Amino acid sequence: MRDLIARALLSLLRLLLPAKGRHAAKRPAPMPAPVPASPWSRPWTAPSAREVREIFNDVHTRGLPAPERERSYAAAFARIGVDYDYPTMPLGSLVRERVAA
């Protein structure tokens, strides 16, 4: 019975006297809503149009056969740190001819 009375008094004191000190309930500040990242906030990482024109209009690659010209384009893009994954000619036909031969 004493335990029940002590718990009731303790609950009543907690309601009447707010907690202080290190055990006081601290309510965190509300977090602001995250701002979506704009693609324009980053610097441009792709090559410029001038750089791409120089690669595709290179005098040395004009006389090369198509597969060598593609390799030259890929090497030029690799030099400036860009992955060349858009070939200008369909290389699938060349692969099929080699396999069939």
Side-chain angles (χ1 to χ4, degrees):
M1 182 75 173
R2 282 186 276 167
D3 190 38
L4 183 64
I5 295 171
R7 274 194 258 150
L9 285 175
L10 190 59
S11 298
L12 184 64
L13 285 174
R14 282 188 183 145
L15 287 174
L16 295 176
L17 302 172
K20 293 182 181 176
R22 70 177 192 183
H23 294 289
K26 295 179 183 174
R27 293 192 176 130
M31 295 289 292
V35 179
S38 170
W40 300 108
S41 64
R42 293 179 282 141
W44 183 257
T45 56
S48 68
R50 181 186 53 77
E51 291 173 320
V52 173
R53 269 191 238 107
E54 287 175 2
I55 291 171
F56 285 120
N57 294 329
D58 190 14
V59 177
H60 302 292
T61 59
R62 286 186 187 162
L64 295 175
E68 290 180 25
R69 189 171 46 239
E70 289 295 319
R71 286 188 203 113
S72 175
Y73 293 159
F77 277 109
R79 270 184 251 129
I80 60 173
V82 176
D83 186 25
Y84 179 65
D85 55 353
Y86 300 104
T88 57
M89 64 174 277
L91 296 177
S93 60
L94 293 174
V95 173
R96 278 188 234 115
E97 288 174 11
R98 283 192 194 152
V99 171

